[in-house]
Amino acid sequence: MTHLFLASKRAAVTYAPDPETGELRPWLAPGGTGNVVAEQAGVLNVSWIASADTDDDRRAAQENPDGLVLSLHSGREINVRLIQHDRTTFDVVQNFLTAELLWAANNYGWDRWTTPTFGAETYEAMRRFGEFTDDFADAMLKSSSGVDDPVYLVHDYQLVGVPAKLRAQRPDAPILLFVHIPWPSPDYWRILPKEVRVGLLEGMLPSTTIGFFAERWTRNFLDCVADLLPEAKVDRESGVVHWRGRRCRVRTMPLGYSPLTLHGRNPRLPEGVAEWAGDGKLVVHSGRTDPMKNAERAVRAFVLAVKSDERLRGVKMLVRMNPNRLYVEANAEYVRRVEAAVAEANAELGSDTVRSHCDNEVDHSVACFQRADLLMFNSTVDGQNLSTFEAPLVNTRNAPVILSEMCGAAEVLAPVCHTVNPFDLVEQAQAIVDGLTAPEEERETAAKRRREVAEPWTLEAWVRMQLDGLTADHEARDE
């Protein structure tokens, strides 16, 4: 496979004027799917197609139709080509369809008692989503127009309609679709309007290969297909779906971390944290400003732990947040709830026992991972959660890891972590006590084992899994 074409909606880069020269230059954003796909582009040495987000992004796209070269933290360089969508279409897809509708559908974001309610705006958003999908498919087809044997790599849930568009024009091409977020159970997926839930599946199944981070998301997807597309023949054991004369293989392909990106950093704690923490024990919770990251319950569990065991007096907790989609009311409300939980914790345990810190500086996150005496990743659901792999690899204090059983990463790391029910404060509190009071020799042995388990799951290994799986599935397409 030599002619690769890679796309994702979200870029790891935004363009803005250089403060000194005024010329547009690319600025890297930390974390998320965009960075993962950018590093994959670097490994494969291919161009990467993504959406122009801001007005400056659109200007950069206009001035550089063949793309711009971007230097990654790992030292790799990639060529980025940005798609200019209709402004209204992009806003609807960005701010409503993906940020609220599909994100909530895949991450169990609705209570079903009061939310959701679908009206005309949902159907209008799906029409706009069709235009957005056409933009990506057209860009990939145009890029590959002079190639006899293109291979398409399509990443994440915003592009689930692209495989069908590619297949219509390139019937024999290998197409991989990788979904970076969870996939819900059939009953939950049925909440979506029939036209939406069926249409999205029909956009995905023309793929040669569909990938998820966790086996449970793979199982859920296959169950959705069997439940909602009666004409599909689903072999759950092999992960193969036969539908409309084509074969699609659904695979589980975990990802942990990028070694070059992780180690090419200059870690430094956020201002004031080193002095505040001193050399005492520090619990670190880390995640985006997204309700699924569950920091509020982590803080409440910490309060329970400290109040239940005198040995934890003097332990401090840092809630490290990365601002993400704060224009979404659920995310903004989550931040308010976390801040309220922090204030209540300090009222109960003593002033300044718990702090929150919010910025998008990756070097701050890495330094917090290093400094922690206990790490908490208690998401209510998570496609994978790469931080659960990264943090133990850089930590310098043999910190135990509390990991939600609802993270995709738990399928790899559960045997070497304190795995918990993210809704159970008592269980989480006990895990905090156990982790902080474990003998040092036990902590050291467990930390070494965690590193050994996490180390093989590199970006490079993940890329190989994708290409090897796609090759095998393409060769088996007539079976």
Side-chain angles (χ1 to χ4, degrees), residues 331-404:
N331 290 20
E333 174 59 24
Y334 169 72
V335 174
R336 291 191 287 268
R337 292 202 317 272
V338 172
E339 291 173 346
V342 169
E344 291 169 12
N346 287 326
E348 288 198 59
L349 302 178
S351 178
D352 215 16
T353 300
V354 181
R355 282 189 181 184
S356 64
H357 185 271
C358 187
D359 71 19
N360 258 334
E361 178 54 66
V362 178
D363 288 338
H364 285 168
S365 295
V366 174
C368 291
F369 293 160
Q370 290 178 330
R371 172 59 183 82
D373 295 280
L374 180 73
L375 291 150
M376 285 194 75
F377 304 100
N378 68 330
S379 303
T380 57
V381 66
D382 221 321
Q384 181 73 326
N385 196 328
L386 305 187
S387 295
T388 60
F389 289 84
E390 296 165 345
L393 291 172
V394 301
N395 180 260
T396 60
R397 298 168 73 94
N398 295 327
V401 176
I402 295 175
L403 175 60
S404 166

Side-chain angles (χ1 to χ4, degrees), residues 242-467:
H242 289 277
W243 181 71
R244 295 184 179 175
R246 302 201 67 91
R247 177 188 190 273
C248 175
R249 173 73 187 276
V250 187
R251 292 178 176 268
T252 302
M253 295 180 273
L255 165 66
Y257 67 104
S258 171
L260 286 176
T261 301
L262 190 60
H263 297 126
R265 297 286 178 187
N266 181 29
R268 59 192 186 281
L269 288 169
E271 185 176 355
V273 169
E275 297 78 8
W276 166 69
D279 195 44
K281 290 185 177 180
L282 179 65
V283 176
V284 173
H285 180 282
S286 181
R288 297 186 306 272
T289 54
D290 187 298
M292 64 188 250
K293 294 300 182 179
N294 206 24
E296 179 186 4
R297 287 191 182 92
V299 172
R300 300 196 187 287
F302 175 74
V303 172
L304 283 179
V306 174
K307 292 175 69 175
S308 72
D309 197 308
E310 287 289 338
R311 293 173 294 177
L312 271 58
R313 299 295 180 184
V315 175
K316 294 182 176 179
M317 181 178 193
L318 177 65
V319 179
R320 167 78 184 142
M321 293 187 287
N322 307 115
N324 179 65
R325 293 174 175 166
L326 290 175
Y327 54 84
V328 177
E329 177 54 31
N331 290 20
E333 174 59 24
Y334 169 72
V335 174
R336 291 191 287 268
R337 292 202 317 272
V338 172
E339 291 173 346
V342 169
E344 291 169 12
N346 287 326
E348 288 198 59
L349 302 178
S351 178
D352 215 16
T353 300
V354 181
R355 282 189 181 184
S356 64
H357 185 271
C358 187
D359 71 19
N360 258 334
E361 178 54 66
V362 178
D363 288 338
H364 285 168
S365 295
V366 174
C368 291
F369 293 160
Q370 290 178 330
R371 172 59 183 82
D373 295 280
L374 180 73
L375 291 150
M376 285 194 75
F377 304 100
N378 68 330
S379 303
T380 57
V381 66
D382 221 321
Q384 181 73 326
N385 196 328
L386 305 187
S387 295
T388 60
F389 289 84
E390 296 165 345
L393 291 172
V394 301
N395 180 260
T396 60
R397 298 168 73 94
N398 295 327
V401 176
I402 295 175
L403 175 60
S404 166
E405 61 190 352
M406 294 303 296
C407 288
E411 292 190 357
V412 174
L413 296 177
V416 291
C417 295
H418 291 267
T419 309
V420 297
N421 176 343
F423 305 98
D424 187 337
L425 298 187
V426 173
E427 184 181 23
Q428 292 174 67
Q430 188 60 53
I432 292 171
V433 172
D434 292 345
L436 289 173
T437 60
E440 185 54 38
E441 183 178 352
E442 179 182 317
R443 287 165 57 94
E444 183 177 357
T445 300
K448 180 176 182 292
R449 179 60 182 145
R450 262 190 305 278
R451 290 191 294 271
E452 291 172 349
V453 172
E455 279 175 351
W457 301 96
T458 64
L459 176 80
E460 291 78 5
W462 181 62
V463 172
R464 285 196 300 272
M465 273 192 284
Q466 291 177 61
L467 297 183

